[in-house]
Amino acid sequence: MILITGGAGFIGGNFVHHWFERQAKLGLSEQEPVVVFDKLTYAGNPNTIAEHLKAGRATLIQADIADRDAVRQALAQYRPRAILHFAAESHVDRSIHGPGEFIQTNMVGTFSLLEETRQYWGQMAEAEKAAFRFLHVSTDEVYGSLSDTDPAFSETTPYAPNSPYSASKAGSDHLVRAYHHTYGMPTLTTNCSNNYGPYHFPEKLIPLMILNALEGKPLPVYGDGLNIRDWLYVRDHCEAICQVLEKGRTGETYNVGGINEIKNIDVVTTICQKLDELRPRADGSKYESLITYVKDRPGHDRRYAIDPRKIQSEIGWAPSETFESGINKTVSWYLENNAWIDTVRSGSYRDWLAQNYAGR
Ligand code: NAD
Ligand code: TYD
């Protein structure tokens, strides 16, 4: 049994699918179940993992990682052999409008989870204790921003977070590091670049552009559109996490990325072209005509890029999707999954759009 915090979110939800598909592919006679521990904030959606909940392979506990009693109870009841910590407030723009929740969940929440895990782990028998893992899922944004000529982020790049989101993630990374160094807890940390794929909440660049385009709404590109992100298909990230869990050296961090640096404007143009092909507009115009440059994000990081050599050489992981193949799958998924999209477009999502884009 493994416990997944944030397992009803974008990457955590994809991870649950990946976990069971992977075991099925390996032909295991019995599947290792998961417990999803998720507060179900605006970003959490049990529909994402409904088939696994229905089949009884996954159990959902709706609770806050900062609620120590709830964490203690879940650990005592399910006795996981590993904790995969995805839960976080994850959107940079939201962290600019309201940093408090980011400090609360990403730092205080991670601290609470670590403290309860330390108690739980401390009471295990020696063999169990040695086999236990706490895997912390983090981001490349902790390293700050690169110029066009800087080398990509490696595991030894100094931390220089620039947004409340990345600062709170950096704080959580440091806590995880300290729990290994001080208490000997068997931790692993992954720092991954921007993910994209199915079940991505439509406040983030790629799903926002797909859904706005389909509705004929403006496609809001921040600043000059030349900021660069290193895009990784979400299932490649999930596979990296599985492999780090199996083969990673405790106390280590692993950078995960697909060597896929792309300018924002090129991402948006690619989506438009894909939609022109799959869902041409009724009036014959191109989706690109909807692109609108808007006021930049304050403190907008220019470029992120990951040097994945450590995970490639030590663990043997490599991405299986190119941006071309991954974006094709993603656009098709959004065209085919209206029911999921409808469930996430609640009142609170509409309020967010009004708040973030009104002043741009
Ligand atoms: P997400 O916002 O889609 O999902 C977060 C999940 O955590 C949601 O299900 C939410 O309900 C849950 N959650 C939030 N606060 C909680 C709390 N206090 N207690 C319990 N559950 C809570 O985020 P995501 O994009 O799936 O990211 C998952 C993790 O991966 C995060 O830690 C993020 O920092 C990291 N990460 C994300 C990316 C990316 O491109 N999305 C890249 C690298 C790393
Ligand atoms: P985002 O998906 O929010 O991820 P992150 O900020 O964590 O990298 O944004 C990706 C890039 O797209 C980032 O450079 C900001 C830009 N962006 C836009 O240009 N327009 C938008 O409406 C959004 C949400 C993002």
Side-chain angles (χ1 to χ4, degrees), residues 7 17 28 39 50 58 71 87 91 113 122-123 202 215 220 230 236 267 271 289 299 304 306 334 338:
H17 289 288
L28 302 181
K39 186 178 171 185
V71 173
H91 188 34
L113 187 66
Q123 287 162 10
E215 289 186 0
D230 189 351
D236 279 328
V267 170
I271 291 168
S289 63
Y304 302 142
I306 284 276
Y334 278 90
N338 283 324

Coordinates of all heavy atoms in Angstrom, one line a residue, residues 7 17 28 39 50 58 71 87 91 113 122-123 202 215 220 230 236 267 271 289 299 304 306 334 338:
G7 N -3.5 13.2 -4.6 CA -3.8 12.2 -5.7 C -5.0 12.5 -6.5 O -5.3 11.7 -7.5
H17 N -3.5 6.6 -12.2 CA -3.7 5.8 -13.5 C -2.5 5.0 -13.9 O -2.5 3.9 -14.2 CB -4.1 6.7 -14.6 CG -5.5 7.3 -14.5 ND1 -6.6 6.5 -14.6 CD2 -5.9 8.5 -14.2 CE1 -7.7 7.3 -14.4 NE2 -7.3 8.5 -14.2
L28 N 1.6 -8.3 -12.9 CA 1.6 -8.7 -11.5 C 0.3 -9.3 -11.2 O -0.8 -8.8 -11.6 CB 1.9 -7.5 -10.6 CG 3.2 -6.7 -10.8 CD1 3.3 -5.5 -9.9 CD2 4.4 -7.7 -10.7
K39 N -7.1 17.1 0.1 CA -8.1 18.0 0.7 C -9.3 18.3 -0.2 O -10.3 18.9 0.2 CB -7.3 19.3 1.1 CG -8.1 20.4 1.8 CD -7.2 21.6 2.1 CE -8.0 22.8 2.6 NZ -7.1 23.9 2.8
A50 N -12.0 8.3 -10.6 CA -13.2 7.6 -10.2 C -13.2 6.1 -10.5 O -13.6 5.3 -9.7 CB -14.4 8.2 -11.0
A58 N -8.3 2.0 -5.2 CA -7.9 3.3 -4.5 C -8.9 3.7 -3.5 O -10.1 3.5 -3.7 CB -7.7 4.4 -5.6
V71 N -3.7 12.9 9.4 CA -2.5 12.2 8.8 C -2.1 11.0 9.7 O -1.9 9.9 9.2 CB -1.3 13.2 8.7 CG1 0.0 12.4 8.3 CG2 -1.6 14.3 7.7
A87 N 0.7 16.7 -2.9 CA -0.2 17.8 -2.5 C 0.5 19.1 -2.4 O 1.5 19.3 -1.7 CB -0.9 17.5 -1.2
H91 N -0.2 26.9 -8.5 CA -0.3 27.9 -9.6 C 0.3 29.2 -9.3 O -0.1 29.9 -8.3 CB -1.8 28.0 -10.0 CG -2.0 28.8 -11.2 ND1 -1.1 28.8 -12.3 CD2 -2.9 29.7 -11.6 CE1 -1.5 29.6 -13.3 NE2 -2.6 30.2 -12.9
L113 N 3.2 16.8 7.7 CA 3.3 15.5 7.1 C 4.6 14.8 7.5 O 4.7 13.6 7.8 CB 3.2 15.6 5.5 CG 3.1 14.4 4.7 CD1 1.8 13.6 5.0 CD2 3.1 14.7 3.2
G122 N 9.5 6.0 12.8 CA 10.3 5.7 13.9 C 9.9 4.4 14.7 O 10.7 3.8 15.4
Q123 N 8.6 4.1 14.6 CA 8.1 3.0 15.3 C 8.1 1.7 14.5 O 7.7 0.6 15.0 CB 6.7 3.3 15.8 CG 6.6 4.3 16.9 CD 5.3 4.9 17.1 OE1 4.3 4.5 16.5 NE2 5.2 6.0 17.9
P202 N -7.7 23.8 -16.0 CA -7.6 24.8 -17.1 C -7.3 26.2 -16.7 O -7.7 27.2 -17.3 CB -9.0 24.7 -17.8 CG -9.9 24.2 -16.8 CD -9.1 23.3 -15.9
E215 N -13.8 27.9 -27.3 CA -14.9 28.8 -27.0 C -14.8 30.1 -27.8 O -15.7 31.0 -27.6 CB -15.0 29.1 -25.5 CG -15.4 27.9 -24.7 CD -15.6 28.2 -23.3 OE1 -15.4 29.4 -22.9 OE2 -16.0 27.3 -22.5
P220 N -4.7 34.5 -24.0 CA -3.9 35.6 -23.4 C -2.5 35.2 -23.2 O -2.1 34.4 -22.3 CB -4.6 35.7 -22.0 CG -5.3 34.4 -21.8 CD -5.5 33.8 -23.1
D230 N 10.3 24.0 -20.2 CA 10.9 22.7 -20.6 C 9.8 21.7 -20.4 O 9.6 21.2 -19.3 CB 12.1 22.4 -19.8 CG 12.9 21.3 -20.3 OD1 12.4 20.5 -21.2 OD2 14.0 21.0 -19.7
D236 N 5.3 10.7 -18.5 CA 6.7 10.5 -18.4 C 7.2 10.9 -17.0 O 8.1 10.3 -16.4 CB 7.4 11.4 -19.5 CG 7.4 10.7 -20.8 OD1 7.5 9.4 -20.9 OD2 7.4 11.4 -21.9
V267 N 4.3 27.3 -28.2 CA 3.3 26.3 -27.6 C 1.9 26.7 -28.0 O 1.1 25.8 -28.5 CB 3.4 26.3 -26.0 CG1 2.3 25.5 -25.4 CG2 4.8 25.8 -25.5
I271 N -0.7 24.6 -30.5 CA -2.1 24.1 -30.1 C -3.1 24.6 -31.2 O -4.0 23.9 -31.6 CB -2.4 24.7 -28.7 CG1 -1.6 24.0 -27.7 CG2 -3.9 24.6 -28.4 CD1 -1.6 24.7 -26.3
S289 N -5.8 33.6 -34.8 CA -6.3 35.0 -34.8 C -6.8 35.4 -33.4 O -7.1 36.6 -33.1 CB -7.4 35.1 -35.8 OG -8.5 34.3 -35.5
G299 N 7.3 39.6 -12.0 CA 8.4 38.7 -11.7 C 8.5 37.5 -12.5 O 9.1 36.5 -12.1
Y304 N 13.1 28.3 -18.0 CA 13.5 27.1 -17.2 C 14.0 26.0 -18.1 O 13.5 25.8 -19.2 CB 12.2 26.5 -16.5 CG 11.4 27.4 -15.6 CD1 10.1 27.3 -15.5 CD2 12.1 28.3 -14.7 CE1 9.3 28.1 -14.7 CE2 11.3 29.1 -13.8 CZ 10.0 29.0 -13.8 OH 9.2 29.8 -13.0
I306 N 15.9 21.9 -17.7 CA 16.4 20.8 -16.9 C 17.5 20.1 -17.5 O 17.4 19.7 -18.7 CB 15.3 19.8 -16.5 CG1 14.3 20.4 -15.5 CG2 15.8 18.5 -16.1 CD1 14.7 20.3 -14.1
Y334 N -8.7 16.6 -24.6 CA -9.6 17.7 -24.2 C -10.8 17.8 -25.2 O -11.8 18.2 -24.8 CB -8.8 19.1 -24.2 CG -8.1 19.2 -22.8 CD1 -6.8 18.8 -22.6 CD2 -8.8 19.7 -21.7 CE1 -6.2 18.9 -21.4 CE2 -8.2 19.8 -20.5 CZ -6.9 19.4 -20.3 OH -6.3 19.5 -19.1
N338 N -15.5 16.1 -22.5 CA -16.3 17.2 -22.0 C -16.8 17.0 -20.6 O -17.0 18.0 -19.9 CB -17.5 17.4 -23.0 CG -17.0 18.1 -24.2 OD1 -16.1 19.0 -24.2 ND2 -17.5 17.7 -25.4

